Amino acid sequence: MGLARADATLFAAIGALSSGSLFWFPVPESFGLAGAGVALALLVAASSRPSVGALAAACVASGASVLTSGIVGGLAVVAHDGHPRRWGRALTSLLVALA
């Protein structure tokens, strides 16, 4: 059973704010950029059928300032393309993000 769009957006916003305050508060230079990148990745992950470009942008945005935050974008790709028939699309998204 999936969440409604408003519930998913609220859940993503709360997750972005709480993780940002826990992990990026000690480094004030990267707090805003890292929080915005993770929020973008969570919004892409909350959408129903994101494109390959959107998934790649989520990976790039989430890992742009703090490399470990790229896990959020990677999990968005796995969540949408985790079925074995769609591994080619997932690999394409990750390769575009790395390029």
Side-chain angles (χ1 to χ4, degrees):
M1 232 174 144
L3 294 173
R5 182 173 290 277
D7 292 338
T9 304
L10 180 62
F11 179 74
I14 290 170
L17 292 174
S18 67
S19 66
S21 65
L22 288 174
F23 295 110
W24 296 298
F25 187 67
V27 184
E29 294 85 17
S30 66
F31 175 71
L33 183 61
V38 170
L40 176 68
L42 289 173
L43 285 174
V44 170
S47 64
S48 60
R49 295 201 38 123
S51 66
V52 172
L55 289 169
C59 288
V60 170
S62 64
S65 63
V66 180
L67 188 58
T68 56
S69 299
I71 294 171
V72 176
L75 288 176
V77 171
V78 171
H80 284 285
D81 298 323
H83 194 273
R85 291 185 184 172
R86 300 186 72 170
W87 283 352
R89 185 173 188 260
L91 185 61
T92 302
S93 299
L94 292 174
L95 289 176
V96 168
L98 288 174

